[in-house]
Amino acid sequence: MCRGPAVIDLRRHNANFCAEHFVKFCRDQTAKAISDHDMVQPDDRLLVAVSGGKDSLAVWDILIALGYSADGLYVGLGIGEYSDASADAARAFAEQRGLTLIEVDLVETYGYDIPAGSRAAKRTPCSACGMSKRHVFDEAARNGGYDALVTGHNLDDEAAVLFGNVLRWQMPYLGRQRPVLPAGDGFPRKVKPLIRLGEREMAAYCVVSGIDYLVEECPMAAGNRHLAYKEALTDIEIRSPGAKFAFYHEFLSKAADRFADDETTGRDELGICERCGSPSESEVCAFCRLAERASAAQPVQLSRRDGGA
Ligand code: SF4
Ligand SMILES: [Zn+2]
Ligand SMILES: [Zn+2]
């Protein structure tokens, strides 16, 4: 199909692509995901959650290329050198393209970083991080009046989450695992436009498009169950090209609705958190409780470190 030199072969599509056609392919797949799932409208103002990694920078780049108005949101997690490097990548991308990047630093704004938050809340780092990011994303989207929050979750991410939920038959999660979460009760609409593209494609898109992304993964991810699920699915994909895509997309088209009854959005009859004004089931929301415990614990750890060796 392409006369130009091939930069990538996609076995699931039985095709080789030159650079130009591969970029077009990725943008077309994203546009198709957006229209198939009615994710956003042409004049929506979008806020893209940006980590400095390949997926979030690629989705931002693609949305701009498709003509959307999209700002970036970077959350400083305080995870050592990883966070420094990820902030640099996000800032450089935005600066080079004249795009707006909103930055929220957890330590500056809430007085804790992810390692401290994880210890204080006795949660895994990824659980404390997920909760913190969700809170910052929701608040920034609300305060900025954005129509939707965009994340860079790709096909591999979503297939791995689905695999984990199926392994344990997590019914409420299965009911909720959709690429669009509608807005409601102070939560912005959340969309995942990269569900038709895999990890390898996103890395190739960045290389071909000259996007300088942070290759290093977050050091806290080690031991994360999803990594094992991703590897298992990738092994299956090698033997059976297209299996990953079918697993996830046929779940969406054939099975997701069957779990709708088990869906608990956690959004019914929510009150307002008395500290931050976010929707919450209790007087003080789970995020504010985490932030309070973690910021109280942080100075103790700092002085111990100072007084120690
Ligand atoms: S791997 Fe875990 S701790 Fe690191 S950024 Fe992702 S969710 Fe946060
Ligand atoms: Zn071509
Ligand atoms: Zn709160």
Side-chain angles (χ1 to χ4, degrees):
M1 62 184 286
C2 277
R3 293 213 196 93
V7 293
I8 188 169
D9 68 307
L10 291 188
R11 289 182 63 203
R12 131 174 137 250
H13 292 273
N14 222 345
N16 292 311
F17 290 89
C18 71
E20 184 193 332
H21 284 111
F22 179 65
V23 165
K24 181 174 184 316
F25 167 81
C26 291
R27 292 176 181 170
D28 289 350
Q29 291 292 313
T30 306
K32 178 162 171 50
I34 290 173
S35 83
D36 282 356
H37 298 278
D38 205 13
M39 290 185 183
V40 297
Q41 301 306 314
D43 329 325
D44 279 354
R45 282 184 63 234
L46 310 179
L47 184 62
V48 183
V50 176
S51 70
K54 61 187 185 328
D55 304 303
S56 58
L57 293 182
V59 75
W60 197 5
D61 186 85
I62 293 172
L63 289 170
I64 296 293
L66 292 175
Y68 290 97
S69 144
D71 293 343
L73 169 63
Y74 173 80
V75 184
L77 303 169
I79 306 179
E81 284 171 17
Y82 166 76
S83 285
D84 298 340
S86 66
D88 288 346
R91 284 179 199 137
F93 178 91
E95 263 165 39
Q96 284 157 13
R97 290 159 183 80
L99 298 172
T100 302
L101 181 70
I102 300 168
E103 294 193 41
V104 178
D105 187 82
L106 279 187
V107 175
E108 274 170 30
T109 314
Y110 300 102
Y112 74 95
D113 55 28
I114 292 304
S118 155
R119 281 192 301 268
K122 299 196 172 62
R123 287 168 172 261
T124 63
C126 292
S127 158
C129 182
M131 174 193 262
S132 304
K133 284 191 291 199
R134 271 195 301 278
H135 177 87
V136 174
F137 293 167
D138 288 349
E139 199 165 64
R142 241 187 349 258
N143 292 346
Y146 290 94
D147 296 297
L149 178 84
V150 177
T151 56
H153 294 100
N154 61 38
L155 173 62
D156 292 65
D157 297 322
E158 294 306 292
V161 170
L162 177 60
F163 194 56
N165 288 338
V166 167
L167 273 180
R168 289 180 175 74
W169 293 108
Q170 306 265 27
M171 306 302 269
Y173 289 123
L174 286 165
R176 224 186 307 171
Q177 203 188 340
R178 292 163 195 274
V180 181
L181 211 55
D185 287 337
F187 292 102
R189 180 166 12 121
K190 290 181 185 160
V191 301
K192 299 173 180 173
L194 296 186
I195 52 166
R196 300 181 64 85
L197 295 160
E199 209 120 274
R200 185 170 158 264
E201 284 118 79
M202 295 337 294
Y205 180 88
C206 287
V207 171
V208 168
S209 312
I211 296 173
D212 226 343
Y213 66 96
L214 178 64
V215 177
E216 188 194 330
E217 300 280 350
C218 172
M220 303 270 163
N224 182 322
R225 270 205 306 261
H226 285 128
L227 281 186
Y229 299 153
K230 267 189 193 173
E231 282 168 20
L233 286 168
T234 298
D235 282 347
I236 295 170
E237 179 75 19
I238 289 168
R239 283 166 223 217
S240 173
K244 215 184 277 180
F245 189 92
F247 176 58
Y248 176 67
H249 283 275
E250 290 184 24
F251 164 77
L252 289 184
S253 62
K254 296 176 183 166
D257 284 346
R258 299 180 183 232
F259 295 95
D261 287 346
D262 296 300
E263 183 178 4
T264 49
T265 59
R267 292 180 179 183
D268 301 331
E269 297 177 34
L270 284 181
I272 293 285
C273 167
E274 60 179 39
R275 303 263 162 84
C276 71
S278 298
S280 166
E281 287 169 341
S282 45
E283 279 173 19
V284 177
C285 74
F287 170 80
C288 286
R289 288 193 308 250
L290 167 78
E292 189 175 36
R293 256 178 305 186
S295 56
Q298 190 114 314
V300 177
Q301 272 138 8
L302 286 177
S303 63
R304 259 191 218 145
R305 216 178 291 152
D306 290 344

